[in-house]
Every structure is written in C-alpha cells, then in structure tokens.
Amino acid sequence: MKKTSTRLADGRELIYYDLRDDTVRGSVDRRPLEPTLTTSEIRRDALLGDVVAVASHRQGRTYHPPADECPLCPSQGGRPTEIPDSSYDVVVFENRFPSLAGDSGRCEVVCFTSAHDASFADLTEEQARLVLEAWTDRTSELSHLPSVEQVFCFENRGAEIGVTLGHPHGQIYAYPFTTPRTALMLRSLAAHREATGGENLFDAVLERELADKRVVLEGEHWAAFVPYAAHWPYEVHLYPKRRVPDLLALEEAARAEFPAVYLELLRRFDRIFDHGESPTPYIAAWHQAPFGRLEGFDGVTRDDFALHLELFTIRRTSGKLKFLAGSESGMSVFINDVPPERAAERLREVAS
C-alpha cells in the first residue's frame, strides 16, 4: 500500500491509498473553493445523558446529483471533482459538509473505488483489503487528534438508508466523546465482570453464539452470526475470534482472511430478497474501543472491549421496509418481525 496526502483547494485534507507502490499522485485541485465554514455544535441531553450534534450547514449538502455530476468520481474530461486525479484505488478526504468539526471532532469520506456504478460487494479481495488498511490508518491518525475520543468507520448503502450520493463510499466519524451505544456496552461489560468474578462479556457472547444455530459464516479467524436479540430483520455481527479492541490490533492472519469473509456476507445480503429489487440497503458499522482512559466503568479497560462489525438492513421483506415507529423511536424498544433463527437460516441458504 502507498499513501499520499495532499490538500484540496479549500484546505481540506485528501489521502490516496494505492495498491501499487510506484503510483504518483501530483494532480492539484484548481477549483475556486472558499474555505469550508461549519457550525457544528455538541449538545448534551440532560435527561437521557446522550448527545446531539447540531450542524445546520449540512442543509446545503449535495443531494442525489446525476451520475455525470458525481463529486466522488475522479476528475476527468475537464470536470473537476473532490478527487483531483483522473483515477484512484481508495481515497479518504475531509467531508465538505461535516456533522463534526474542529473541537467537536472530524468527519471524513471514504471512496471505496472510482467505479461509480459498483458497490463494496463488487470489489476484489485485494481492493477490500486496501479499504481495511485505509480504515486502520485513519483510525490511527484520528486517534491522535486531541479532540478525538472514539473513531467510527461505517458505510450507509442505499437511498432507503438516506444516502445522498450514489457512488460507493463510506464515512469515518471521529467523536470528541464516547458514544452512547458504546457506553452501554461498557456498562454491560463492567456489570458482567462484577457478577461473574472477572469473565469477559464479549467472550461469553461469542462462545454462546458459535454454539447456537444462528451462525451464518465462520472462518479460521472470523465468525459471523445473527445475534440472539437482533434488533433488525436481517442483522449480522462479525467478530474476530481473537478479541482485540480496535482495527489497529488485528493480527495479520485476521487481516488476510477478512476480505473473503466480508465480501461473502455483503453478497449474501444482496441475495436475500427478490432479484428484481434494488440492491439491499444496509448499514455496516465498525465498533471500536474508545481511546484514552475509560472512567466510570468499574475497572473495564480498552483491552476488554471487542472490535466487531454490525451489518444490518432496514428491509424486512421484498418491497417492505422496517420503519422505526412508536415503540422503537419513542421508547427505544425494538420489535423485530423476522425471528433471528430464520434470518440466519435465510443467510445460509443464499451462500454463493
């Protein structure tokens, strides 16, 4: 992998990740861009204890442009885009319309491929490994920023999810706090540790799931399963079998096996429903331990946390979406229409 860092016309950072070590990246962004102005603000809910990012400048972000105006394609035919070069393997750059900025964190865009009509599932294993290396590198770099406490790599795929750009891409959020969902996991870790005299909850969950009938896919170093209490109609959790706190700590054998396992999972998601439908909308979310001291969690350390990826779709059956209605949105109590055991069975049925 070769990494080349440069700047866009408005000062935002852009990084090329190339498969070939002899690739030269010298193209300059000559667009007449004004410096990016953001109004990101973090507000804490006194009753719930969680946080909300207020980012009114995002109202003007690019919204479903035609393919020939996509800002994530390479610059070709005299049309400048967010990527100055005429081709690329993987590119990461600071979001022009970030939800978090400055002391409130940082947001980046990850372009998986220059092919506009592709998806992550279309990548080769070599390309998918390069994306993994980019996620890992950005996690490392962002973790050293003084305002950052947690790094979240994720992909939203599909208009049903709310994606506003059709080009295959994901995002990275670098939060200045530990996210509420992670804090819940840490509290559960601490409670289980206390109740069992030191047992790790993630280890116990993984052991239980591997012994059950909800396993979807298992390799030498990775295991994928539909969790016992799945929130979404089709939801898979992907764990390295050796517990590590973040992408940085993944051993080489797990890195090498990841592309084949993950690509197979994504391809199965695209085969769940009728072939005539649009590709399955999904969210793929990496959960990593926060950086820095973990205070208030009764002796839990970063090494107690287990890196894992959660992949789920909001489509519950062909032509129907799972909406978060009264119970889910109002009280955070999910109602799942698809039994997790049946979801796992279906995901095994559509193996390639």
Side-chain angles (χ1 to χ4, degrees):
M1 179 190 79
K2 181 180 180 181
K3 175 184 175 182
T4 306
S5 181
T6 185
R7 293 281 172 180
L8 296 173
D10 55 7
R12 289 176 292 130
E13 185 177 17
L14 179 143
I15 309 106
Y16 294 98
Y17 293 91
D18 288 296
L19 292 168
R20 293 175 54 94
D21 290 337
D22 59 354
T23 303
V24 177
R25 298 296 183 185
S27 298
V28 177
D29 183 13
R30 303 189 184 281
R31 295 174 296 170
L33 298 180
E34 296 293 329
T36 301
L37 298 177
T38 63
T39 57
S40 181
E41 177 187 358
I42 301 298
R43 297 186 180 184
R44 184 169 297 277
D45 188 309
L47 292 178
L48 297 180
D50 60 8
V51 292
V52 175
V54 180
S56 59
H57 62 277
R58 285 173 51 79
Q59 286 280 41
R61 65 188 184 273
T62 308
Y63 186 81
H64 292 300
D68 60 358
E69 296 179 16
C70 174
L72 305 186
C73 288
S75 294
Q76 294 178 341
R79 185 179 75 87
T81 69
E82 289 281 69
I83 297 92
D85 220 314
S86 59
S87 65
Y88 64 84
D89 291 331
V90 173
V91 167
V92 177
F93 61 89
E94 289 184 76
N95 199 322
R96 191 176 180 184
F97 303 97
S99 302
L100 309 167
D103 293 339
S104 297
R106 175 160 157 150
C107 293
E108 298 182 341
V109 176
V110 184
C111 297
F112 303 137
T113 171
S114 60
H116 179 81
D117 294 323
S119 68
F120 200 117
D122 295 322
L123 301 183
T124 65
E125 290 185 19
E126 185 181 35
Q127 290 173 307
R129 172 64 186 262
L130 184 61
V131 175
L132 175 63
E133 297 307 321
W135 284 330
T136 304
D137 181 72
R138 296 315 301 156
T139 296
S140 176
E141 293 290 330
L142 293 170
S143 70
H144 289 96
L145 296 179
S147 64
V148 172
E149 189 169 317
Q150 187 171 2
V151 178
F152 176 47
C153 306
F154 65 100
E155 180 193 0
N156 298 328
R157 204 275 284 266
E160 299 93 332
I161 296 292
V163 174
T164 58
L165 295 175
H167 195 102
H169 72 287
Q171 299 180 67
I172 302 175
Y173 278 20
Y175 299 102
F177 50 81
T178 296
T179 62
R181 188 175 178 86
T182 303
L184 283 174
M185 294 184 195
L186 293 172
R187 284 196 286 273
S188 295
L189 263 176
H192 187 81
R193 175 190 178 105
E194 176 67 22
T196 60
E199 183 181 61
N200 183 279
L201 178 58
F202 282 112
D203 293 348
V205 167
L206 182 57
E207 181 180 0
R208 182 186 69 189
E209 294 289 1
L210 289 180
D212 217 312
K213 56 186 177 182
R214 291 181 303 278
V215 174
V216 173
L217 183 63
E218 185 176 359
E220 183 179 355
H221 302 283
W222 293 87
F225 56 87
V226 177
Y228 171 75
H231 289 60
W232 299 94
Y234 290 91
E235 175 181 343
V236 173
H237 292 190
L238 177 62
Y239 277 70
K241 290 185 176 179
R242 174 180 172 271
R243 173 166 43 90
V244 294
D246 52 40
L247 290 166
L248 304 175
L250 272 180
E251 59 188 10
E252 174 54 30
R255 292 182 181 280
E257 187 181 73
F258 171 78
V261 173
Y262 187 49
L263 289 171
E264 173 62 16
L265 278 180
L266 293 181
R267 290 162 186 168
R268 290 189 192 190
F269 259 61
D270 275 342
R271 292 194 289 266
I272 298 173
F273 304 106
D274 291 342
H275 296 297
E277 288 192 274
S278 60
T280 301
Y282 66 73
I283 293 174
W286 280 109
H287 292 264
Q288 306 190 78
F291 292 91
R293 297 179 58 188
L294 299 182
E295 299 179 351
F297 299 109
D298 296 333
V300 170
T301 69
R302 290 193 78 250
D303 289 337
D304 293 321
F305 194 87
L307 167 76
H308 63 283
L309 181 139
E310 297 184 7
L311 172 68
F312 60 90
T313 179
I314 63 170
R315 185 175 288 167
R316 58 186 175 88
T317 189
S318 295
K320 297 178 181 178
L321 299 180
K322 165 66 179 177
F323 292 101
L324 300 189
S327 186
E328 292 90 352
S329 296
M331 296 301 288
S332 294
V333 177
F334 274 68
I335 300 171
N336 192 347
D337 303 304
V338 180
E341 292 74 19
R342 175 53 190 152
E345 181 181 11
R346 177 61 181 153
L347 285 164
R348 288 193 297 268
E349 290 173 351
V350 295
S352 58

